[in-house]
Each structure stands twice: as C-alpha cells, then as structure tokens.
Amino acid sequence: MTKRRVLITGALGQIGSELALYLRDCYGEDNVLATDLSDKKERALPEMHFEPLDVTDRKRLHELVKEYRIDTIINLAAILSATGEKLPNLTWEVNMGGLVNVLEVARAENCSVFTPSSIAAFGDSTPKVLTPQVTIQRPSTMYGVTKVAGEVLCDYYHKRFGLDTRGVRYPGIISYKTLPGGGTTDYAVHIYYAALQKKAYTSFIAEGTKMDMMYMPDALKAVVDLIEADPARLVNRNAFNVTAMSFAPEELAEAIRKQIPDFELSYDVDPIRQAIADSWPDSLDDHCAREEWDWSPEYDIDRMTEDMIRNISI
Ligand code: NAD
Ligand code: SER
C-alpha cells in the first residue's frame, strides 16, 4: 500500500466517523488527520488526530495541509439531499465552495483528492434500471446539482492540471455507528432501530420505491481500493457507479422479518423525499468499477441485516 498522509473533511459524519478509523488502520495513526466543522471530536473520534475545519475556509485548509504535510485529501464535508432542499444556498456553498477549495489547495500542494458523488447525480430523465456509467444527468435537487458539477470539476482538474482526482457515486449507505445526516435513503437505517425498539416502522418512502444501497464496510473498502488503484487502468476517474444491492422498503422489511418475525412496516410518505427518491435510479450498472479497479462488494441485504441487528442489539 502507498504511504500516505491523509486529511479528511467532514470526518464526524456517517461515513467519515468510520472511514477515519479505517484509514488509520491502513496508513497509521499519525498519518490521518480528521477535520470537521464541529469540534465535538470526543463524541465520534476521541482517539484520532483532529482539527476543527470549515471546508469553506480555504486559508485554514491550506494551513492544515502544509502543517501536517498532507498528500491525500478525502473530501466528505457536504449537505445531503433532504437537508439540501431546505437549505439550497448553504448546500451550494459547502458542497461546491468546499470542493473548489479542496481542489485548489490540492493543486498548490500536489495532493491526491477523493470526493464521493452520489446516486443523486441522476434525475428523472436518466435510465432507471441498470443506470449506465455514462448517461443523462439532469438532477432535480440542489444536492444533485452539486454532485454532477463536482464530478465534472474533478475531471477538469485531472485533465487540465494533472491532479490525481478520484471518486465513486455512492448509493444510500447503511451503518450503525453514526446516524445518517439528512438524506433520502436514511429510512433504510432508521428502520433497524425501530425494528429492535418497537418491532414496527413507519416509512417515509413509499412501497415499491427501489434505490441502490451499500453496507458501510463495503463503502469504506471502496475508498481505499480506488485511491490505491493503478492509474493506468482508470478510464473513468471521479464518478464510478458502485452498488451492492437494490431494494424497496417492503423488501428490506422481509429481510428484517427473517430475524424479527413479527416486525411490521407501515407508510406515511413524505412527498419531498419521495419525489427525490422517484428521481433516482432503481439500480446502477457498476461494471466499470468492477473492470477498472476490481470493485466487488461483500454484503447483500441478508448478510447486512444480520450484522446490523446483531450490532445495534449490543
Ligand atoms: P453526513 O451528513 O453524515 O456528514 C457530513 C459532515 O460534514 C458532517 O459531520 C458535518 O458536520 C460536516 N460539514 C457540514 N458542513 C461543513 C463545513 N462547512 N465544513 C466542514 N464540515 C462540514 O454525510 P455522510 O453521509 O458522511 O456523507 C459524506 C459524503 O458522502 C458526502 O459527500 C455525501 O454526499 C456522500 N454520500 C453519502 C451517502 C450516504 O448515504 N451517506 C450517499 C452518497 C454520497
Ligand atoms: N444517502 C444520500 C442521500 O439520501 C445519497 O447521496 O442524500
């Protein structure tokens, strides 16, 4: 594995709070710096090197990159889809302003950059089933707008300045350590807590609404597999479709019933998040990731459900 010194933005979020520890195990404790807007590191990452950082503050980002001799920036600071519709201006400022800062600092200090895109980069006019790697992208949310623009901007920095930019289009990420931060796929996390506490869940996403999902261990593995991939094999760079499973709420409920037989699912659909979900793919075609950097997820819906229920129960 390459020796790296990594800075993570947005490290106290759902993905960052687990990715920071995963990267520490890969690259060593003194080679990973976690940063986030909040300085409440004791809650999520008490044992990590941590600095407060607002990603919209380019000067501070640049200082930290120089001070810690960073060579790789993992940019996770973002406002997600549902919160983004409440706060579209902030979403633009953080998601795009932050990314421009990360790319400019990376250019000045010759860092590699990993930034996740999302299934939100697609829209109503995108083919819904086995959505191709390269296809129509006209998203209807501000979050999606920033994700498409981010994909294209990262490609631009690679082509124009030779920056080593890479990224995946994550589907909904399911995990039990840190709750999700205001997305449309969050129901697929909340359902497990409700199943264990009340044996019942009321879904804000309607029956029959399929979306791609992935269990956190696969999401973490994807980051390191891609940043360590041989660049000569990468045709795509910044927006690899990756998926592990695709299901609707009732299919997840069926998987939960294999562990909790009397679990009951009902619906109280939220029109805003439902419209977002309806505009996203049912299932992604991730063959480019499989061919170019050997992407291969380990968790399907049943294995993930067993692991989620076992861990939330502890
Ligand atoms: P999250 O909402 O859980 O965490 C985001 C973090 O960013 C939070 O800790 C927040 O404090 C921080 N943040 C917000 N504004 C900031 C600012 N101005 N400066 C610094 N930090 C700031 O999000 P997540 O789920 O961990 O997502 C991480 C990345 O992965 C995002 O780019 C997101 O779009 C992408 N992604 C996530 C999912 C998912 O299901 N979780 C799916 C697709 C893509
Ligand atoms: N899980 C994210 C969301 O729902 C997808 O990017 O916003």
Side-chain angles (χ1 to χ4, degrees), residues 10-16 36-38 53-56 75-80 94 116-119 143 147 170-173 179-181 185:
L12 297 183
Q14 185 194 9
I15 296 175
D36 201 291
L37 195 55
S38 145
L53 172 69
D54 182 337
V55 76
T56 64
N75 181 37
L76 302 182
I79 309 294
L80 273 69
V94 173
S117 183
S118 162
I119 49 172
Y143 176 64
K147 288 300 175 188
Y170 273 140
I173 305 300
L179 286 171
T185 56

